[in-house]
Amino acid sequence: MQRLTTEEFRKAEKLPLVVVLDDVRSMHNVGSVLRTGDAFRIEAVYLCGITSTPPSAEIHKTALGAEDSVCWEYFPTTMEAVEKLHQEGYTVFSVEQVEHSTKLQRFEAQTGCRYAIILGNEVKGVHQEVVDASDGCLEIPQLGTKHSMNVSVTAGIVIYKFAEQLILTT
């Protein structure tokens, strides 16, 4: 299957995307985001606030070793992560349902730009101050009776959208 070793992964070109987890409670969600991040070779995952960090048996259950391949960094607050990302030239989007959000199907990533997406707490979403500090918000259209999706599912959909536009070819 031509899988990269962890060392090869770390040296490989990355999708110019950082995923930020804002007070995500579930260690299974953390592990799943790391594993999806590995699948699409994202730059990093920033774990903020109450979000758990490796090493953890619960994270490993879903990460299956991606906690060793994907770079991750812990920040006491998500605002600290956003400030760092802005200083480094990233365009930062919260993934949230808000007025004037951009529907994901209408979003067009620009080659040469670096992006970060912020995913929020399973119950409360992205903190309002973080939404306010973001450059914009992306929203996944939902057609059913529910108005939210699991954090790791949301991560997979949005990461794929960036990968599709920036690195995947037919």
Side-chain angles (χ1 to χ4, degrees), residues 135-163:
D135 298 303
C137 290
L138 299 175
E139 181 177 339
I140 300 170
Q142 297 174 49
L143 307 175
T145 62
K146 302 301 175 195
H147 297 285
S148 66
M149 289 188 280
N150 178 276
V151 172
S152 62
V153 171
T154 299
I157 292 168
V158 178
I159 292 169
Y160 182 82
K161 180 71 170 183
F162 278 88

Side-chain angles (χ1 to χ4, degrees), residues 21-25 50 119-127 151:
L21 300 182
D22 178 19
D23 282 342
V24 171
R25 296 176 307 170
I50 67 167
L119 304 169
N121 176 274
E122 292 88 343
V123 174
K124 298 178 181 178
V126 178
H127 285 96
V151 172

Side-chain angles (χ1 to χ4, degrees), residues 31-42 66 152 155-157 159-160:
S32 182
V33 169
L34 286 163
R35 190 167 165 191
T36 302
D38 177 279
F40 292 102
R41 281 202 324 249
I42 67 171
S152 62
I157 292 168
I159 292 169
Y160 182 82

Side-chain angles (χ1 to χ4, degrees), residues 85-156:
L85 289 160
H86 277 142
Q87 288 171 357
E88 294 179 356
Y90 286 82
T91 301
V92 178
F93 290 103
S94 288
V95 180
E96 197 60 74
Q97 298 170 350
V98 298
E99 193 173 344
H100 305 298
S101 62
T102 300
K103 302 290 188 205
L104 191 60
Q105 74 270 23
R106 293 193 178 108
F107 175 72
E108 293 185 29
Q110 302 300 309
T111 303
C113 293
R114 297 167 81 192
Y115 295 98
I117 57 168
I118 303 169
L119 304 169
N121 176 274
E122 292 88 343
V123 174
K124 298 178 181 178
V126 178
H127 285 96
Q128 187 61 52
E129 70 174 344
V130 175
V131 170
D132 294 342
S134 298
D135 298 303
C137 290
L138 299 175
E139 181 177 339
I140 300 170
Q142 297 174 49
L143 307 175
T145 62
K146 302 301 175 195
H147 297 285
S148 66
M149 289 188 280
N150 178 276
V151 172
S152 62
V153 171
T154 299

Side-chain angles (χ1 to χ4, degrees), residues 4-71:
L4 299 177
T5 65
T6 300
E7 190 60 33
E8 290 169 333
F9 179 94
R10 291 196 175 180
K11 293 177 184 176
E13 184 177 347
K14 303 292 188 292
L15 174 65
L17 180 67
V18 172
V19 175
V20 180
L21 300 182
D22 178 19
D23 282 342
V24 171
R25 296 176 307 170
S26 166
M27 288 187 255
H28 292 134
N29 281 334
V30 174
S32 182
V33 169
L34 286 163
R35 190 167 165 191
T36 302
D38 177 279
F40 292 102
R41 281 202 324 249
I42 67 171
E43 288 182 4
V45 175
Y46 288 178
L47 308 169
C48 305
I50 67 167
T51 307
S52 293
T53 63
S56 161
E58 289 299 307
I59 291 173
H60 182 73
K61 274 185 186 179
T62 50
L64 295 178
E67 69 273 31
D68 299 323
S69 57
V70 175
C71 292

